[in-house]
Amino acid sequence: MQWVSGAHVHVGELLSGLGDEQMVRDSALPGWSRGHVVQHLTDNARAFERQARFALHGQLVDMYDDGQRGRDLSIGRGSARPAAHLREELRLAQQALEETWNRLAPEDWGRPVRFRNATVLDTALARWREAEIHAVDLAVGYRPRDWSLPFAWHALDFLAARAPAGVQLTLTATDHAFTQSLGTGSPVEVRGAVRDLAAWMAGRSVDGPLHTSAGALPELGPWPPDPAD
């Protein structure tokens, strides 16, 4: 919760200086403005709050009303709203999420949720990823180099499922004692700073060079699927 709460505060700080003109400009995500990113973060916080709230009553509920369609409609409609409105809605959604989490007893974190058929704890880790990675996508100066080491380690662990099929992918850090081998098949090594390795695995631009034993960086598999993420 401390990691997520800190990420929430930082996202708010990044957005604090953006006016309406800056909010409608392109984010780092193709086809999305910064407003799209902010609306998605708001909807995602509300969705995870609902997962936890229903889990407390032993109930499972979908992430978003009307599934992927409802998610996409909300992002599209909300993205063009005034910057002040987008910031306030995000603040309220994140506050509600943290307040619901604060009501959980230790054993409640293991309660099942429909998201990934996992647990409330898994939604907290997912929210951490959403906040940190989309903070980079806002394209307001926050970069993968600014991620904490604990987040970079976590992202690499979560994104291990993106290792290409038929490849034994070895990730070797040049700035820390870290090596991770993923998958089976033809050996390919990728070397670079831990945060750059995490950024590459997350499909984001890197801040430093990556070196590979292959002619080019291998094509990664799809993002681990989330229900209507």
Side-chain angles (χ1 to χ4, degrees), residues 97-182:
L97 175 60
E98 292 184 32
E99 288 175 351
T100 295
W101 283 350
N102 278 325
R103 295 199 298 269
L104 300 178
E107 61 271 18
D108 291 329
W109 290 95
R111 287 178 177 268
V113 295
R114 183 155 291 163
F115 171 80
R116 292 183 176 276
N117 296 314
T119 67
V120 176
L121 176 59
D122 293 308
T123 70
L125 292 169
R127 182 61 188 178
W128 192 25
R129 296 190 296 272
E130 291 282 336
E132 288 289 352
I133 292 174
H134 286 317
V136 171
D137 295 333
L138 287 169
V140 289
Y142 189 66
R143 295 289 305 157
R145 62 174 170 262
D146 300 311
W147 287 339
S148 68
L149 271 177
F151 180 74
W153 302 133
H154 167 67
L156 285 169
D157 182 61
F158 172 75
L159 294 168
R162 297 197 72 192
V167 170
Q168 183 183 38
L169 178 63
T170 299
L171 304 176
T172 303
T174 55
D175 57 344
H176 291 275
F178 171 79
T179 300
Q180 183 180 34
S181 291
L182 310 169

Side-chain angles (χ1 to χ4, degrees), residues 7-95:
H8 284 170
V9 169
H10 189 60
V11 168
E13 292 171 348
L14 293 173
L15 295 172
S16 63
L18 299 186
D20 294 346
E21 183 180 346
Q22 290 79 24
M23 194 68 80
V24 299
R25 290 181 180 171
D26 290 344
S27 73
L29 290 175
W32 273 22
S33 68
R34 290 171 178 146
H36 285 87
V37 176
V38 177
Q39 184 63 49
H40 170 56
L41 282 170
T42 298
D43 292 344
N44 178 265
R46 289 173 176 156
F48 282 145
E49 190 277 332
R50 185 166 73 164
Q51 294 286 294
R53 179 160 37 86
F54 274 78
L56 277 172
H57 299 285
Q59 299 175 24
L60 301 178
V61 64
D62 289 340
M63 277 284 285
Y64 300 98
D65 291 331
D66 202 17
Q68 184 74 31
R69 178 178 179 276
R71 167 196 179 272
D72 294 345
L73 283 174
S74 178
I75 293 172
R77 290 169 178 168
S79 63
R81 289 174 179 150
H85 175 90
L86 286 166
R87 286 196 299 268
E88 179 64 6
E89 288 298 301
L90 177 60
R91 184 189 70 80
L92 292 173
Q94 293 181 155
Q95 177 180 299

